[in-house]
Amino acid sequence: MNVNDILSSMTEEQIKDYKDSSIEMQTSAGQSLDEIVIKLERLRRQGKLNYYANWNGIKLYSLDVTMDSAFKKCLTCSKKTCLRREKRGFEDAEATIKKREKEAQEKLPTWIEEGKKYIHPEKFEIWEKTCIASANGFYNGLGVEKALEIMVMLENKVELPKIKQKIKDDGHSGMTESITMNLVLFYAKRGPALYNFMYKNRMSKIYKKYVSKIRELNKKLNMGYKYSEAMEELKNHKIMDISIYFDLTNDDEYTKYKEDDHNGTILINEDLTFEGVIDNEKYITGKMLGNEGITFADFCNYTKSSHYCGIRQNDKLIGRREIYSVSSGVTDKGGVIIKLADSAKDFVDEIDLETEIKQLKKDFVVDVKDMCAWFSTNIDSETQRTFMTLRNELNKRLVNALSNRINQEDLEEKQEKIEKEEVKQLKLQRKLERCKQTGK
């Protein structure tokens, strides 16, 4: 129905009555103005003249809305003008981005060399990688550029309050300030001092620990440590990556079920107990059995707890998975293969993982907390129970392997005695043969 025809056949009073009694048409968040107008026009064609839609507080009516009238009312220009402005805006933005990208690539060599004046030589390699990543990133090196300005001020021993004011005057967003200050913290020799000065009363315990670690890192580098050695020294645990998957001998079966693999990271203490996270959502705790085996369980609020136990064979741990249930006890779920590998993660990842572990445990419901505490208390007896209850051929082989390793020294000693006795008997036999030949 044509808008002009409709309006020409109605009085102003009738038009007002229609609009006053209109029913709101439901719209969804993020729906464009075009889509709303098209829906209102469809209602008008169906003879439904008493509907309206709300667009950012402006009411548009099916009775008289058109695309141009809606754009002029809501955006103060026609749709054609709006599209032209939008296109010009995109072109300008694209040109600005390309200009910033080009400038970042031109400045990159200078940033790399300039930074080397203010950081420890041991950080040169990682600084170069950081500069390249920043130049190619969303802000085209803005963080590096601003961080270098602050490094120069720190090197010239400018007072910290003046540096803080300079950062404020730069008009950073929360994101760009965070990027800049994290670069200063890690690379500048006096970075931790400035960071503490600026954020001391606003830092979480975790971030205070991180700042403390950076300070320790700088001290170790000053003492002559290599970068990799210093990073390793700062870790409080041995960090290992862990993978768990079904013990499937058939390649087709493995391909079918491999999406059910579980992957995570564990932090191992000096007493070989450990904590970790798998699948980014489950807390695990357990114990390394020297180099021979492992036992651990996972806990979370939405699935039953699983207990895993394995014995090493070659480069992997062959074992079993069980399900703990308050109602039905322990259920054997079959064989698994567990793989452990030294992790490339450093002390930063360790701090992040400790935080994640703490948060996961904090969210446990009472039942899960109780089961987790029970497992930690009974971990050794659970290990023995699991090994003693393995019944099938694979498990017998695992038990024998564990038994053989435990008694390996005794077996070697017995073998040595047998070999000595055989040598003794052989010598005696040869002596008797010589005596017969000589007649003596």
Side-chain angles (χ1 to χ4, degrees):
M1 298 176 72
N2 186 281
V3 173
N4 293 329
D5 291 342
I6 293 170
L7 296 179
S8 63
S9 65
M10 299 172 66
T11 64
E12 288 185 10
E13 212 172 298
Q14 287 174 320
I15 293 172
K16 184 177 182 303
D17 288 341
Y18 262 105
K19 291 186 175 181
D20 288 344
S21 62
S22 288
I23 303 165
E24 184 173 7
M25 180 187 78
Q26 292 302 312
T27 58
S28 57
Q31 200 166 16
S32 70
L33 182 57
D34 300 61
E35 292 171 328
I36 291 172
V37 173
I38 289 169
K39 283 187 176 182
L40 288 170
E41 287 178 331
R42 187 181 299 128
L43 289 171
R44 182 170 65 243
R45 286 195 298 272
Q46 296 169 357
K48 299 175 181 178
L49 308 180
N50 59 332
Y51 278 83
Y52 78 92
N54 195 323
W55 194 87
N56 291 345
I58 299 172
K59 288 185 177 182
L60 302 171
Y61 297 90
S62 62
L63 175 68
D64 59 359
V65 72
T66 63
M67 195 64 76
D68 271 344
S69 70
F71 268 78
K72 287 176 181 177
K73 189 173 184 180
C74 298
L75 301 174
T76 68
C77 65
S78 67
K79 182 177 179 180
K80 187 176 180 180
T81 303
C82 187
L83 289 173
R84 190 165 56 246
R85 288 177 183 174
E86 192 175 78
K87 183 182 177 183
R88 189 163 57 245
F90 279 130
E91 289 172 349
D92 291 346
E94 192 174 348
T96 301
I97 290 169
K98 285 182 178 178
K99 182 181 177 183
R100 278 167 39 191
E101 287 174 348
K102 183 181 177 183
E103 289 176 350
Q105 295 304 318
E106 290 171 350
K107 292 178 180 179
L108 180 56
T110 304
W111 290 340
I112 293 171
E113 292 308 312
E114 186 71 13
K116 290 178 179 180
K117 299 176 185 177
Y118 312 114
I119 66 177
H120 290 93
E122 293 78 10
K123 294 181 182 178
F124 284 176
E125 185 178 348
I126 189 171
W127 166 253
E128 184 170 344
K129 291 178 181 177
T130 299
C131 288
I132 293 169
S134 180
N136 293 312
F138 185 76
Y139 293 103
N140 303 115
L142 177 64
V144 167
E145 193 166 47
K146 292 299 180 182
L148 280 169
E149 293 173 5
I150 297 169
M151 287 184 199
V152 172
M153 296 175 78
L154 286 169
E155 192 71 14
N156 293 333
K157 298 193 169 37
V158 175
E159 296 175 356
L160 297 185
K162 290 184 178 179
I163 298 177
K164 183 176 181 179
Q165 186 59 46
K166 189 263 182 200
I167 294 167
K168 184 179 178 181
D169 293 342
D170 278 342
H172 284 287
S173 67
M175 180 60 73
T176 59
E177 181 175 330
S178 176
I179 292 170
T180 300
M181 290 308 301
N182 275 295
L183 289 171
V184 172
L185 168 63
F186 187 79
Y187 288 107
K189 294 175 183 177
R190 292 177 60 211
L194 175 62
Y195 204 93
N196 270 328
F197 175 76
M198 290 190 62
Y199 306 115
K200 186 174 182 179
N201 298 324
R202 289 187 280 157
M203 278 193 287
S204 65
K205 288 182 180 179
I206 295 299
Y207 223 83
K208 284 179 181 177
K209 183 176 181 181
Y210 174 65
V211 174
S212 175
K213 291 281 188 181
I214 299 299
R215 190 185 294 111
E216 289 179 48
L217 172 64
N218 290 342
K219 284 181 181 178
K220 289 183 180 295
L221 294 178
N222 287 333
M223 291 164 61
Y225 278 76
K226 291 182 180 178
Y227 181 78
S228 58
E229 292 174 342
M231 293 289 272
E232 190 66 27
E233 282 270 330
L234 290 171
K235 294 194 297 190
N236 293 326
H237 305 86
K238 180 176 176 60
I239 305 177
M240 298 196 81
D241 294 323
I242 185 169
S243 299
I244 310 158
Y245 53 93
F246 288 117
D247 185 3
L248 302 171
T249 54
N250 185 305
D251 288 339
D252 291 336
E253 284 186 328
Y254 179 74
T255 302
K256 180 179 177 183
Y257 290 105
K258 73 183 209 176
E259 64 269 15
D260 293 322
D261 293 356
H262 305 291
N263 298 288
T265 305
I266 58 175
L267 303 177
I268 305 174
N269 301 308
E270 289 185 5
D271 64 356
L272 298 183
T273 59
F274 63 79
E275 291 183 297
V277 174
I278 57 171
D279 300 336
N280 298 318
E281 56 191 2
K282 292 183 181 179
Y283 165 75
I284 63 174
T285 182
K287 188 174 184 179
M288 303 290 298
L289 308 176
N291 290 321
E292 308 304 335
I294 191 172
T295 183
F296 63 94
D298 65 50
F299 302 93
C300 69
N301 285 335
Y302 57 88
T303 61
K304 293 176 181 176
S305 303
S306 294
H307 172 231
Y308 299 87
C309 191
I311 300 174
R312 184 172 296 283
Q313 288 197 344
N314 301 320
D315 65 335
K316 56 192 174 187
L317 295 146
I318 312 283
R320 307 297 291 177
R321 177 195 177 206
E322 300 172 329
I323 295 291
Y324 286 162
S325 170
V326 176
S327 58
S328 54
V330 178
T331 307
D332 191 337
K333 299 298 287 184
V336 292
I337 295 174
I338 303 164
K339 284 195 173 183
L340 289 169
D342 289 335
S343 178
K345 296 180 173 69
D346 60 23
F347 72 87
V348 179
D349 303 289
E350 179 185 25
I351 292 171
D352 289 341
L353 190 60
E354 287 174 333
T355 308
E356 193 173 351
I357 286 170
K358 185 177 179 181
Q359 187 59 49
L360 284 172
K361 292 171 74 174
K362 181 182 176 182
D363 293 339
F364 283 166
V365 295
V366 175
D367 287 346
V368 178
K369 283 181 182 177
D370 289 346
M371 188 166 283
C372 183
W374 176 87
F375 177 79
S376 298
T377 304
N378 295 279
I379 188 169
D380 292 327
S381 60
E382 277 297 275
T383 303
Q384 293 300 319
R385 178 193 64 75
T386 307
F387 284 139
M388 294 302 292
T389 55
L390 300 177
R391 291 290 183 243
N392 60 33
E393 183 179 346
L394 172 62
N395 294 328
K396 286 177 183 177
R397 194 164 73 244
L398 293 178
V399 172
N400 289 336
L402 182 63
S403 177
N404 288 339
R405 288 187 177 99
I406 292 172
N407 298 309
Q408 189 172 3
E409 291 183 4
D410 291 340
L411 291 172
E412 288 176 354
E413 189 177 339
K414 288 177 183 178
Q415 184 65 31
E416 189 177 348
K417 286 181 180 179
I418 291 170
E419 289 175 356
K420 285 181 179 179
E421 186 63 31
E422 287 177 348
V423 171
K424 185 178 178 182
Q425 292 295 329
L426 183 60
K427 286 181 178 178
L428 182 59
Q429 183 68 30
R430 287 177 178 173
K431 187 174 181 181
L432 288 171
E433 287 175 357
R434 283 198 301 271
C435 286
K436 287 179 183 178
Q437 289 173 0
T438 58
K440 293 183 181 181

